[in-house]
Structures are given as C-alpha cells and as structure tokens.
Amino acid sequence: MGDMTNSDFYSKNQRNESGHGGEFGCTMEELRSLMELRGTEAVVKIKETYGDTEAICRRLKTSPIEGLPGTAPDLEKRKQIFGQNFIPPKKPKTFLQLVWEALQDVTLIILEIAAIISLGLSFYHPPGESSEGCATAQGGAEDEGEAEAGWIEGAAILLSVICVVLVTAFNDWSKEKQFRGLQSRIEQEQKFTVVRAGQVVQIPVAEIVVGDIAQIKYGDLLPADGLFIQGNDLKIDESSLTGESDQVRKSVDKDPMLLSGTHVMEGSGRMVVTAVGVNSQTGIIFTLLGAGGEEEEKKDKKGKMQDGTVDASQSKAKQQDGAAAMEMQPLKSAEGGDADDKKKANMHKKEKSVLQGKLTKLAVQIGKAGLVMSAITVIILVLYFTVDTFVVNKKPWLPECTPVYVQYFVKFFIIGVTVLVVAVPEGLPLAVTISLAYSVKKMMKDNNLVRHLDACETMGNATAICSDKTGTLTTNRMTVVQAYIGDVHYKEIPDPSSINAKTMELLVNAIAINSAYTTKILPPEKEGALPRQVGNKTECGLLGFVLDLKQDYEPVRNQMPEEKLYKVYTFNSVRKSMSTVIKLPDESFRMYSKGASEIVLKKCCKILNTAGEPRVFRPRDRDDMVKKVIEPMACDGLRTICVAFRDFPSSPEPDWDNENDILNDLTCICVVGIEDPVRPEVPEAIRKCQRAGITVRMVTGDNINTARAIAIKCGIIHPGEDFLCLEGKEFNQRIRNEKGEIEQERIDKIWPKLRVLARSSPTDKHTLVKGIIDSTHTEQRQVVAVTGDGTNDGPALKKADVGFAMGIAGTDVAKEASDIILTDDNFSSIVKAVMWGRNVYDSISKFLQFQLTVNVVAVIVAFTGACITQDSPLKAVQMLWVNLIMDTFASLALATEPPTETLLLRKPYGRNKPLISRTMMKNILGHAVYQLTLIFTLLFVGEKMFQIDSGRNAPLHSPPSEHYTIIFNTFVMMQLFNEINARKIHGERNVFEGIFRNPIFCTIVLGTFAIQIVIVQFGGKPFSCAPLQLDQWLWCIFIGLGELVWGQVIATIPTSRLKFLKEAGRLTQKEEIPEEELNEDVEEIDHAERELRRGQILWFRGLNRIQTQIEVVNTFKSGASFQGALRRQSSVTSQSQDVANLSSPSHVSLSNALSSPTSLPPAAAGQG
C-alpha cells in the first residue's frame, strides 16, 4: 500500500543524487549495496573500495570521535541526499473501504436483498386490475395513495441499513485513527544517543542522518544501518533479519555490519550510520512488503470468506484489533507452507483474549437461536397464508395474482429477517471496541501506553503480578550509603582523609574506568534538585560515591579514553560482573572488576588493608566478611557491590578468552552498600492489589537479604506470615527432578507460597511465569502479569498474559515484547491498569445485560405477534431503529462508564467465570417478563384501553395505526429506562449513582428520547407511525418508568434462591488451551523466544524469499556463481531447524549454577 510513496521517495533521492553525488565521497546507492554484504565479504569490499571505516567516515565528512557538526544546513543536505530515517507508513484504510467492509455483514446483506425485492415489487403493477379477488386478507381499506406508498418500506429499510453501516464504519475509522496516533506516539518517544559536535545527545530516531556517530549499548534496537567503528564485546541478535538465532559477534576487522531492526544483546560501542529509512535493510524490506502485502491480503480475505465459520461481525473486531497483527500475517512460507498454516491457526488462537473468546461464543449461540426463530416465523406465516387462502377459502391460484402473492411472501420474509436482525447482537464487537478504545485513550493519562488492545481487558482478570524490584518498586536512584574499605565498615560515607591514598587512587580508577563511559552524573536541571543520573543507575551510584569522596572521575576518563581500553568483559546475566583491562605505561596489564559481592568475593584471594597493602584473604575470612559486612548491609535493604582488581605481567600475554582463569585471584578494594529507596506510593499500591485478590511477587537479581528487606518495606510480605523467599539456585533445585528436567508438580508445591525470588536469572523468571500459568493447582487458571525492563526479560514478558515494560528504564527489546508500556515506570500505574481492565469487563457485562433483555423481548414479540396476527407488531424499520438504540448508542453509553475505586474491592473474575452471571440472568429475565406482559396486554386489549381502532389484521398496505404506534413507543420507552437499570450488574440498589460523572450516557439517553419523539410524531409511513396525543405519550412514559420500580423489585429477590438460572458465555478449560500447548516441548524457553520472533520470522521469511529471488535473477543476469543465492537460501531453511537448538539446556543449567552461591538453608528462607 505504501508502495506509491516509497517509489516517490526513491525517484526523488535518485534525482538529487545525480546532482549532489560529488559533495560526499560516496553515493547512497554505493552505501546501500555495501550494506547488503555480510561478514568477511563486507570487510574485503570496504578494504578494496574505501580503505577502512575511517576513510568512509572521512568521505561522509564526519569524525569518529567528534561526530557531525550538527548544523542545520548540513543535516538538511544529508536528509536530501541520503533520505530521512523514517519509513512511510502503510496507507490507512479509506472511509469507503471501511464502509465496504461493514456492508459484508451477513444479516445486513439479507436485509438489503429483501428491501430491493420489496422495492421492485411495489413498482410492478400486474396487468388487468383484477387483483381484488386474489387474497382474503386484502380488505378494501386500500385507496390509491396507499398503493403508491408501497415502496416506502423498502426504501426505509435501505436507509436504516445505510445508517448502521455508516456508524460502524465511522467507529472503525476513528479506532484506526487512534491506533495510528498511538503508534506515532510510541515512535516519537524512541530516542537514540548520538555524538554531535563532540557532545553526547539524545535525539528522536527520525532525526538520525547518514554520517551520524551513534552510541550503541546493551538492549538497544538499532535504528539505522551502520558500520562498527569501535567498541567492546558487542554481540547482536540478528534473528529478526536472518532468522539465525545465534548471537553474532561484531568486530571492526571481522564483521563490522550493523543492521537496523537488530538487537544489541551484549556490549557497547559506536557506529557510523550509513543508511537510514527506506534505504536501510529493514526499510528495503518494508518497501517490498508494501507492494507484496496487497495481493496477499486479498488472498487472505478470500480464505476467510470461504471459511465462513468466522462470523462477520467478529472478524470485523479482529481486523481492528489485529491492525498490527494483520500486517505481520501475509507472509506465508512457500517451503513448509503446511506447517506454517498450522502455526498461523495457532497464532490466531493465541491472539484471542479471554473476553473475545467468551463473546464470540455467546454471539454464535445467540445468532443460532435467532436464526431458528426467524426461520420458524417465516414458515408459520407462509403456511398460515397458503392454508388460509387456498385450502380454507378454496381460491384457485390465478396467474394475474402471482405478484400479489409474491408481495405477501416478501413481506413475510422481511418480518423473518427483522426477527433475525434483532436477535443477532451485532453491537457486541462494537461495544468491545468502543470500550477498549475509550479505556486505552484514558489509560494514556494514567501513564499506561497500551500496545495491544486486549491486554487492557486481560489485566482486569490478573491474579498474580511478578514485578521487578529495581525501578518499579524502587525509585531507581542509586546512592552508596555504606562502605567497607581497608578493614573498616563505615555506616555512612567515610571522610576522604581516613582512607589511604593508594587505596583511594585504585578505587577511583576502578570505578571511573570500569563502567560504561555513557554513564555520567550531570548537574541538576533546577536549583536545589538532585544531580541527574544518566546511564546505568548502579554505575551512577558508584560514580556518585567517587564524587562524595571529593574526587573526580572525569580526568581519569579523559586520560584513558574509551578507545584505549584493552579488553572489556561487559555485564550480562550469567557473569553478574563487569571487568575492564587496561595497558599500564610499563606494558603490563591491569584489570578492574566490579559485580555482585558474593560472586566477586569468591574470586578474591587478597584484600587491601588499612595501609593499602594487599593481605591474604582466605575462604574463612570470606565467610566472616559475609556474616559481618554483607548480610547486615543486605538486611538494611542495600545492594552490595564488590570492587576489585588484578595485575597481569606484560609477557607472556594472558589468554583473554579464557575467562575462568582471568577472572580469578583478584584483590578486593572495597565493598559498598547501595541504597535504592522504595517509591513512596508503592506500599499503598501493593495493599490495593492484595485487597483486590492479586498476589504480588518480587523477582529480582539481588541478594536474598536485600530482596527480603525491600519486600517487607513494600508490604509484599508481612512478618509472621507463611511464605517463601527463595534464591534462583534453590528454586531450580526444588523444581527439577534427578534428570534436571522441570516438573510441573514440583513448581505447584512452591509457587502458591513464593513471594520473593532473589538472585534469579531471566530463565528463572520465565520458568516461574510459565509454571504459574500452566498450573492446574487452583480451580481457576492463573492470569499473570509481569514487569520487565531488561533485554533478557523478553521471553518472560512474551509468555505472561500481560507484559509491562518500563518506558524510561526499559530497553527497546523489552518494549517490543511487552503489551503495555508504563510511561512513568511506576508500580502504582499497574493498579490503574487493573482498575481499567476490570472496568472494561464490567462495561461489556452492563451492555450485555441491556442488549439481551431487548433481544429476548423483541424476538418473542415479533415471533408470537407474527404467528397470532400474521403481522409483526414491530415493523422492520422500527426494529432497525430499536437495533440502533440497543447496539450502537447503548454500547457507547454503557461502555464509557468511568472506573471507580470499588472495582478494586472484589476478587478477580477467573478465566472461566461466565460473562453473564446469575444476577444478570435474573435481571434479564425479570425485565423481559415485565416488558412482555405489558406489550401483549397492549397488543390484545390496547385498543379497548385507549378507545382506538385495533391495528391487528390490517391489510397489506394499510396506513399505520395508533394502536401499533403506542406499542412501538412503549417498547422504546421501556428500553430507555432499562438502560439506566443496566448501569449496575451486581444487584446494587442505587442505579443512579455517579450518573452525572458520565456525560456521554446522559447525552445519549436524552438524545434517543428526542429522536423517538420526532419519529413517532413525524415518522409517518416510512416508520409505520401515527402521531400520538399527549395523554397517550404520558401513558407510554409512565409504563417506561415502571421499569425502574420493577428493577427494585427484582433486586429484592435473592439470587441464591434461583438455582435454575443458567449462566452463559463461559469458557471451558478444554477450549482454552490450544493443542500445541499440551504437547509442548520440554525446552519451553525456546518456545517463548520463538514466540518473540515468530512475528518477525513471518515477516522476514517473506523477505528472505524476495531477496533470494532478486539474487537468483541477478545471478542469472550476470552468469556469476550461485553462491550468494544459495547462502541466503540456506539461512532460510535453517530457520525451520533453529527452533530446536535455540537455547540448549546446557547454558541454562550453567547460569543457574552461577546465579546463587550463597544460598540459605530452606529453614532460614522460610522464616523471613
């Protein structure tokens, strides 16, 4: 779709290039073709064409250290020549397309056909006006004018169909617009760090130009293509482009190619940007997809139409929700197409949220019932008419009478269809959409940026939240508050003079050099505010400690710039430490290390004493230190970090790749305790969660004592309760059998009591989430929400029912995998999300309660009326109006009720709690009884009560009677007042409570009332209404008001007495779990990672295919070797295999072994 714009882009850029090509040393085309090479080929090409990356920087007029000058004309020129860094979005569906989609609704199509037949027949007058003798029911009432007006009914039906279609289309359209607004907001919020004029600045991703020097670090999603200039230990996950799951190690001399859309999994560095926007690798793919997506989508639709089981209204809802999902589906794989389709089916199964599942099921049930009713209605009417005409009155079938008979049959058919229209609640998808869209909009104000609509409603069912500690429960402002230096444990920051000068120098160097150079402490923005911490918060805490000791880290860094660092072992979740090696002036090497104290201390064999001299540090001393220093610090809720160093001789040079030998024999400089204070609003938020029946668990990489201390401060655990605090290591021992396999029964023994999981690796987090979700231990399946900020939280966020990513601290990878982004990183925003989620659920229930009452009544009235009087008391057009009130307007009015705190006072509904509870069923049936009684009373004795002509058994085209108008009017009045009753679903007495907090509701009720007056008084023939007198109006309103009184009567009947009431719309266990989950592989983590990538793989398979085809064509053209094409092909085929070897259990167990050396005995863990 975006195909047009992209080609414009290209042609424009090409034109510019021919003009300006000379200004820069290389053209866009050259850079683009360079970026298509990989690994060694690329290195060779750079050597041959340019010399080295420095030379490319010179040609692009940029400095690897200073970056671009950043002047406006220069940036403008670069944008002109090389393009901008944004990919023009796919064109949104036009309003007309949406109208066309809304017209696909089956019931509407039937109605349109009926209306057209009715129209055609009304214009057709049979030759020979001998029709008087045709049918008995004809009666003599028909005068000339009336016969002419026969077309009105057909026209009116068509008009009301148009109304319904426009309203639906408009809703879809505004929804799409909101979705786009949301997307653009997410995109605007993405910033990236670049160097301009020697200053490190953060700029929006769209502002990046070719020639920018970008700083990349762990957790980034690369925004453009570039060449690696300098950095350390950089590993990239390129699966999104190649489908290869192994992380690719980047280096200047082996593989300097960095591609947009890939994830940085480890390390840091700098790159020079060489291609942006539509010219980057991801951009090229998007462009190809823009052209390729359209035909595919058409095919997709055809498939759906044949499928037929997807009811139209529901697929509508899906198309909207799936606006994002749709974009990812079209790429079906050519190889293994079969397997892929199966996968696709499963994807859909997974996509459907709990609520959608229940609603679909309900809508189908109601639809079937409606279909049966309408069929019976038509059959009875036709039979009655034929028997009456041809058998009882023994009339012959005369050819000239045929049109008249046909007209009768069409009328019966229209009545049947009307019954069906009223029975099918097509307002359901609309109500869900409106409710979700409204909530999402409002949730933005509560700092929840919802990426997937259904996450909002799933959150209302959440029964467990697994939260990170750092940054979510705490403020993420790290400050060093205690230290152990030179054999002394200082309870507050020591006086600089009391520390030996040698120790001080080592300490400052170790902290300044062995931390990411992107981490800094900047002066506060406002007077009196705290200094700003930029970068990794733990490192900020350590740098702050240096400043508190009246030292400065800047000069140290300037003396030893990042380029000169000899080797860096970056922090990752397995090492749990970071080390940097530098070359000293005498050619020998020194390595600084810092990391979790229990891990680094295990590797120390010396420690600096008061005089700054190293003394021996034996395991016995270490145990002493753990007891006297580390545990007391941890019990105060501090994180303990150990700083150490080691010297190496200049020759022989150590084998830097042998990490186990290198990270050993360290000398400990100091241990510091870092405080990360609990956010002030968190304890209250956690209390609300617990009151709402949601268990909060804390999963953290911290030491168990720290974790427990903070859990107590937050109120996650209360002293004296029966709960578990485990370390990752012990957790793993408890849940695995002798073979090291995870067993669900073992997890079931642990998770109900587990409140804190400390020293956990991302794998543990994922195992826990999966264990809770798959557990059959409770009668309800648990619905789990997870918060995460790190790259490694991806699998857990994906696996959880709702994944929350941190908007400020979160890495791009985490945001990609999440459903909701917390823009303020605050736990209390999660409570808001729960409130909104429950509100969505309740809104849908309110709407259902109202809708079903109307449905039941209208269907029964139309059905019995038709059977007894041969004519439905409610005409087709009137039914459509009622349908419009109940569906569109009611869904607007009831779906926009604002949430209240009382929502947090009840336990969560489970997955298999029915949509329509007993109380609601009681209300529906109760009100239906009231309405039916009154309407039938009016129908059969109304004419006597009001002293008017009876409207029963009227001939075919007779004028509308007051009698039937009163019935119609009363019916609508009852609906209006019942709408107020529907505002409460738990049997509350006061239905008016908070009614003025919802202006939309008031407007709609009053608006409907006004339109109703117009329809009755001036609707005339099209609406089959005769104007009513004032006293008749007052009676109608009085009967309507009776609804409110009757509502109170119903509320008094205790629900518990009515055992016979059935609930409806529940999901049974069986339907919930898609087949594939039952026979899932043991290595579940692959599955989650695969989920994480499945969308991307689908995209990129297609991509690979396109690229392969292009390459094959080119290869044939040039007649050169087939290598290139085969290489791509192999990477495609390897995707199907790499699912199996995504992450072998061997590294899982390794990480667990490392994750927790100081495990407490179970007894201690339990006491808390």
Side-chain angles (χ1 to χ4, degrees):
M1 283 179 178
D3 159 50
M4 195 41 224
T5 42
N6 289 344
S7 53
D8 291 354
F9 243 68
Y10 278 143
S11 52
K12 208 156 65 202
N13 287 335
Q14 248 94 47
R15 269 204 304 286
N16 289 340
E17 219 172 287
S18 48
H20 302 284
E23 294 206 12
F24 294 103
C26 35
T27 63
M28 188 180 74
E29 282 301 304
E30 289 168 13
L31 289 174
R32 243 179 84 185
S33 54
L34 173 65
M35 291 318 291
E36 280 173 4
L37 303 173
R38 302 277 178 274
T40 40
E41 286 181 47
V43 178
V44 173
K45 172 91 170 146
I46 292 173
K47 271 218 174 70
E48 285 172 359
T49 323
Y50 305 100
D52 58 1
T53 40
E54 296 272 318
I56 293 185
C57 292
R58 279 199 296 281
R59 288 195 182 197
L60 289 174
K61 301 192 177 162
T62 178
S63 139
I65 297 169
E66 296 284 308
L68 291 178
T71 56
D74 177 57
L75 296 179
E76 227 6 82
K77 198 160 68 192
R78 286 172 192 272
K79 280 184 187 169
Q80 284 236 307
I81 298 182
F82 298 108
Q84 292 179 316
N85 194 24
F86 89 107
I87 291 166
K90 243 171 152 182
K91 278 205 202 78
K93 286 197 174 113
T94 57
F95 189 67
L96 286 175
Q97 279 170 309
L98 291 169
V99 167
W100 176 244
E101 270 175 24
L103 280 170
Q104 311 290 321
D105 196 34
V106 189
T107 42
L108 288 182
I109 294 176
I110 297 176
L111 262 185
E112 288 154 26
I113 294 171
I116 291 166
I117 295 177
S118 153
L119 266 178
L121 287 169
S122 66
F123 288 127
Y124 170 65
H125 287 297
E129 293 295 318
S130 61
S131 54
E132 294 87 53
C134 285
T136 44
Q138 198 58 8
E142 191 166 350
D143 53 44
E144 267 316 289
E146 287 304 330
E148 297 311 304
W151 59 273
I152 292 184
E153 184 166 36
I157 293 181
L158 281 182
L159 197 74
S160 30
V161 166
I162 291 170
C163 262
V164 174
V165 166
L166 287 179
V167 171
T168 320
F170 178 73
N171 272 309
D172 289 2
W173 179 76
S174 57
K175 164 94 180 301
E176 174 115 335
K177 204 168 108 199
Q178 262 178 354
F179 190 74
R180 296 210 167 253
L182 201 72
Q183 280 305 89
S184 63
R185 181 163 163 186
I186 293 178
E187 278 157 20
Q188 279 157 15
E189 286 193 344
Q190 268 191 323
K191 290 205 159 51
F192 210 77
T193 318
V194 296
V195 182
R196 284 199 179 159
Q199 291 294 313
V200 178
V201 288
Q202 287 217 326
I203 59 171
V205 169
E207 296 293 309
I208 293 177
V209 292
V210 170
D212 257 325
I213 304 295
Q215 291 198 338
I216 51 181
K217 59 179 189 312
Y218 157 81
D220 282 341
L221 178 73
L222 297 185
D225 290 356
L227 295 172
F228 187 46
I229 321 178
Q230 155 289 309
N232 32 58
D233 219 12
L234 190 68
K235 285 192 189 147
I236 299 231
D237 166 16
E238 291 190 351
S239 61
S240 60
L241 276 176
T242 58
E244 304 282 352
S245 59
D246 300 333
Q247 292 176 11
V248 186
R249 201 189 204 105
K250 297 289 176 186
S251 60
V252 181
D253 45 2
K254 295 216 176 59
D255 183 0
M257 309 312 260
L258 299 172
L259 306 171
S260 56
T262 58
H263 291 138
V264 182
M265 298 313 266
E266 248 183 65
S268 60
R270 290 192 183 161
M271 71 170 187
V272 54
V273 176
T274 54
V276 294
V278 281
N279 304 310
S280 65
Q281 291 302 300
T282 315
I284 293 171
I285 291 158
F286 270 91
T287 317
L288 292 169
L289 281 173
E294 245 172 0
E295 295 90 59
E296 283 282 8
E297 237 168 43
K298 281 185 199 128
K299 269 186 235 156
D300 236 38
K301 282 230 178 73
K302 273 195 194 113
K304 266 202 192 126
M305 289 294 153
Q306 292 152 8
D307 202 23
T309 49
V310 184
D311 122 17
S313 58
Q314 163 208 342
S315 69
K316 232 171 14 204
K318 240 206 222 118
Q319 272 156 19
Q320 302 152 9
D321 275 355
M326 274 300 267
E327 288 171 9
M328 295 210 163
Q329 283 158 21
L331 301 170
K332 277 205 194 123
S333 147
E335 322 88 38
D338 189 44
D340 234 83
D341 282 343
K342 217 160 56 202
K343 236 199 260 174
K344 230 169 106 180
N346 272 329
M347 240 170 96
H348 272 314
K349 241 188 223 164
K350 271 235 171 69
E351 297 277 283
K352 225 194 271 172
S353 66
V354 188
L355 186 61
Q356 271 174 324
K358 291 181 181 176
L359 281 179
T360 310
K361 206 172 159 201
L362 197 69
V364 170
Q365 287 169 347
I366 296 174
K368 280 183 187 157
L371 199 68
V372 173
M373 289 291 269
S374 64
I376 297 176
T377 314
V378 176
I379 293 168
I380 292 181
L381 284 173
V382 171
L383 278 177
Y384 186 96
F385 175 76
T386 43
V387 169
D388 190 54
T389 312
F390 302 123
V391 181
V392 182
N393 297 335
K394 302 198 169 49
K395 286 250 173 81
W397 181 295
L398 302 168
E400 60 268 26
C401 289
T402 309
V404 179
Y405 294 146
V406 174
Q407 237 168 341
Y408 265 105
F409 291 142
V410 169
K411 179 181 157 188
F412 298 150
F413 181 61
I414 289 181
I415 292 173
V417 174
T418 319
V419 174
L420 179 64
V421 171
V422 177
V424 175
E426 63 274 40
L428 271 184
L430 194 69
V432 180
T433 307
I434 292 176
S435 182
L436 287 176
Y438 172 77
S439 307
V440 167
K441 207 167 168 182
K442 288 277 190 258
M443 280 167 83
M444 295 279 273
K445 293 199 179 76
D446 286 337
N447 304 312
N448 282 300
L449 198 135
V450 182
R451 293 184 66 233
H452 300 136
L453 274 181
D454 49 5
C456 164
E457 150 264 315
T458 315
M459 206 45 223
N461 289 329
T463 53
I465 299 177
C466 295
S467 171
D468 268 0
K469 175 178 79 73
T470 313
T472 315
L473 300 173
T474 57
T475 53
N476 204 6
R477 257 201 86 85
M478 309 281 189
T479 37
V480 172
V481 289
Q482 297 188 19
Y484 179 87
I485 307 177
D487 295 341
V488 188
H489 184 176
Y490 298 93
K491 289 286 181 171
E492 54 251 3
I493 299 290
D495 178 31
S497 56
S498 64
I499 296 172
N500 179 292
K502 270 195 287 190
T503 312
M504 183 67 97
E505 191 194 356
L506 270 171
L507 179 61
V508 173
N509 278 332
I511 291 176
I513 293 173
N514 185 29
S515 57
Y517 278 33
T518 47
T519 304
K520 302 190 186 56
I521 291 189
L522 302 177
E525 281 172 347
K526 293 196 277 296
E527 277 297 304
L530 293 165
R532 280 182 300 155
Q533 298 187 339
V534 182
N536 181 314
K537 295 294 193 265
T538 312
E539 290 178 352
C540 287
L542 292 168
L543 292 175
F545 180 50
V546 171
L547 298 177
D548 290 341
L549 293 173
K550 311 279 184 285
Q551 306 291 319
D552 193 3
Y553 61 88
E554 278 298 336
V556 181
R557 284 185 172 181
N558 295 340
Q559 194 187 339
M560 173 62 67
E562 208 170 352
E563 296 78 58
K564 286 199 189 155
L565 300 180
Y566 196 79
K567 170 91 181 136
V568 177
Y569 300 97
T570 48
F571 181 89
N572 65 22
S573 53
V574 179
R575 284 191 193 120
K576 290 231 191 271
S577 67
M578 169 179 178
S579 315
T580 305
V581 181
I582 58 170
K583 210 170 191 168
L584 297 176
D586 63 358
E587 295 294 308
S588 67
F589 299 100
R590 173 170 290 169
M591 176 178 76
Y592 294 114
S593 272
K594 65 166 193 287
S597 54
E598 56 258 54
I599 288 172
V600 178
L601 279 178
K602 274 215 171 91
K603 298 178 177 155
C604 291
C605 61
K606 299 198 188 75
I607 188 166
L608 296 181
N609 62 14
T610 327
E613 297 299 326
R615 64 175 172 82
V616 181
F617 184 63
R618 294 184 298 274
R620 197 173 62 238
D621 304 331
R622 186 169 62 234
D623 298 342
D624 247 15
M625 184 151 165
V626 167
K627 275 201 191 66
K628 297 210 174 91
V629 180
I630 292 174
E631 284 188 5
M633 279 188 186
C635 290
D636 293 341
L638 306 182
R639 291 177 68 171
T640 52
I641 300 275
C642 173
V643 182
F645 78 103
R646 175 181 178 186
D647 287 328
F648 296 97
S650 54
S651 65
E653 186 172 330
D655 169 15
W656 298 114
D657 289 336
N658 185 350
E659 257 181 71
N660 291 347
D661 289 358
I662 301 282
L663 291 178
N664 227 330
D665 295 341
L666 305 176
T667 307
C668 170
I669 305 174
C670 73
V671 172
V672 294
I674 298 186
E675 181 183 43
D676 184 4
V678 171
R679 287 173 178 263
E681 61 283 336
V682 161
E684 173 57 20
I686 286 182
R687 205 165 54 247
K688 280 185 188 164
C689 280
Q690 289 163 340
R691 204 173 51 214
I694 302 168
T695 314
V696 182
R697 295 183 173 79
M698 181 163 102
V699 182
T700 171
D702 256 350
N703 160 326
I704 188 149
N705 297 323
T706 313
R708 188 185 289 118
I710 290 199
I712 290 174
K713 278 186 197 164
C714 291
I716 290 177
I717 53 183
H718 304 287
E721 276 182 3
D722 178 22
F723 56 80
L724 278 175
C725 294
L726 291 180
E727 289 208 339
K729 193 172 170 185
E730 190 187 341
F731 173 68
N732 270 299
Q733 287 164 358
R734 289 202 189 185
I735 61 173
R736 290 173 193 276
N737 58 18
E738 299 70 51
K739 294 189 197 134
E741 293 162 350
I742 296 172
E743 284 187 0
Q744 187 64 45
E745 299 83 72
R746 291 173 182 241
I747 298 184
D748 286 349
K749 288 201 187 86
I750 295 178
W751 73 257
K753 286 188 181 173
L754 183 69
R755 289 293 175 275
V756 175
L757 184 58
R759 279 276 170 255
S760 67
S761 68
T763 327
D764 298 339
K765 190 175 189 174
H766 177 265
T767 311
L768 175 68
V769 172
K770 176 182 178 333
I772 298 180
I773 289 180
D774 292 350
S775 169
T776 46
H777 181 78
T778 45
E779 74 274 26
Q780 299 283 10
R781 140 143 156 51
Q782 295 277 314
V783 177
V784 183
V786 168
T787 68
D789 51 6
T791 307
N792 42 26
D793 291 331
L797 287 171
K798 257 306 192 230
K799 179 70 195 171
D801 294 285
V802 182
F804 285 93
M806 302 296 141
I808 305 168
T811 57
D812 298 339
V813 184
K815 290 180 189 170
E816 267 316 288
S818 69
D819 301 299
I820 297 181
I821 296 174
L822 294 178
T823 48
D824 62 346
D825 286 17
N826 192 338
F827 187 84
S828 60
S829 304
I830 297 180
V831 182
K832 297 255 174 60
V834 172
M835 211 155 82
W836 276 106
R838 294 189 168 187
N839 191 49
V840 168
Y841 207 90
D842 279 10
S843 299
I844 304 295
S845 294
K846 288 171 191 172
F847 172 68
L848 269 175
Q849 175 173 309
F850 173 67
Q851 164 112 28
L852 291 178
T853 315
V854 189
N855 274 9
V856 171
V857 175
V859 170
I860 295 179
V861 167
F863 176 70
T864 42
C867 295
I868 300 171
T869 67
Q870 275 69 72
D871 182 12
S872 165
L874 297 174
K875 300 287 180 290
V877 182
Q878 296 175 348
M879 288 285 216
L880 283 169
W881 162 236
V882 169
N883 211 26
L884 200 71
I885 316 180
M886 345 182 292
D887 281 2
T888 315
F889 295 157
S891 61
L892 255 175
L894 291 168
T896 51
E897 290 271 312
T900 53
E901 286 281 329
T902 45
L903 287 167
L904 292 175
L905 296 177
R906 60 172 175 77
K907 296 276 173 276
Y909 296 148
R911 286 203 150 221
N912 19 14
K913 162 148 191 341
L915 264 182
I916 300 172
S917 60
R918 278 231 173 90
T919 317
M920 287 166 61
M921 210 57 165
K922 176 182 79 176
N923 291 346
I924 292 172
L925 295 177
H927 286 294
V929 167
Y930 174 83
Q931 297 184 9
L932 285 170
T933 319
L934 282 164
I935 285 178
F936 282 134
T937 315
L938 286 177
L939 181 60
F940 295 114
V941 292
E943 70 270 29
K944 298 192 186 66
M945 285 161 52
F946 289 106
Q947 273 99 43
I948 44 176
D949 294 335
S950 165
R952 293 195 301 281
N953 299 335
L956 192 61
H957 293 301
S958 55
S961 64
E962 280 186 358
H963 182 186
Y964 274 17
T965 310
I966 290 178
I967 294 179
F968 166 58
N969 201 14
T970 311
F971 182 62
V972 173
M973 288 303 124
M974 291 199 281
Q975 299 329 322
L976 272 184
F977 288 104
N978 195 26
E979 197 162 338
I980 299 175
N981 274 332
R983 289 183 68 245
K984 299 288 179 226
I985 49 174
H986 298 299
E988 294 93 332
R989 286 253 175 225
N990 180 4
V991 287
F992 290 103
E993 184 196 355
I995 194 164
F996 296 115
R997 292 216 343 261
N998 185 1
I1000 302 182
F1001 185 86
C1002 305
T1003 324
I1004 284 180
V1005 171
L1006 294 173
T1008 315
F1009 187 64
I1011 301 175
Q1012 179 63 18
I1013 295 178
V1014 175
I1015 288 179
V1016 171
Q1017 296 306 97
F1018 312 105
K1021 182 77 186 171
F1023 279 97
S1024 320
C1025 286
L1028 299 179
Q1029 268 86 45
L1030 185 62
D1031 61 325
Q1032 292 168 333
W1033 263 102
L1034 287 174
W1035 271 107
C1036 293
I1037 294 173
F1038 174 71
I1039 296 176
L1041 275 168
E1043 270 289 2
L1044 294 174
V1045 182
W1046 183 249
Q1048 294 301 315
V1049 175
I1050 294 179
T1052 1
I1053 305 171
T1055 314
S1056 48
R1057 288 286 168 79
L1058 308 169
K1059 285 280 185 283
F1060 59 89
L1061 286 181
K1062 282 273 194 312
E1063 297 134 327
R1066 65 159 59 205
L1067 275 181
T1068 48
Q1069 267 330 127
K1070 211 168 59 229
E1071 290 162 25
E1072 231 177 84
I1073 307 173
E1075 262 68 294
E1076 61 158 359
E1077 287 193 6
L1078 296 175
N1079 46 34
E1080 226 168 49
D1081 201 32
V1082 195
E1083 298 168 18
E1084 219 291 330
I1085 178 114
D1086 322 6
H1087 185 71
E1089 288 189 5
R1090 193 166 123 210
E1091 265 308 286
L1092 186 66
R1093 308 204 168 121
R1094 183 178 281 160
Q1096 296 169 329
I1097 286 182
L1098 282 174
W1099 263 120
F1100 294 117
R1101 281 239 174 104
L1103 198 57
N1104 269 320
R1105 186 142 330 99
I1106 297 168
Q1107 287 178 334
T1108 309
Q1109 285 159 0
I1110 293 171
E1111 287 205 1
V1112 172
V1113 172
N1114 291 344
T1115 314
F1116 275 126
K1117 271 189 198 152
S1118 60
S1121 79
F1122 234 81
Q1123 285 295 289
L1126 289 174
R1127 186 185 71 241
R1128 276 278 156 70
Q1129 201 52 38
S1130 67
S1131 90
V1132 179
T1133 35
S1134 70
Q1135 286 170 9
S1136 42
Q1137 296 141 18
D1138 68 45
V1139 176
N1141 51 25
L1142 237 158
S1143 98
S1144 55
S1146 62
H1147 94 227
V1148 179
S1149 48
L1150 173 85
S1151 69
N1152 296 334
L1154 286 176
S1155 67
S1156 158
T1158 57
S1159 161
L1160 289 178
Q1167 287 155 12

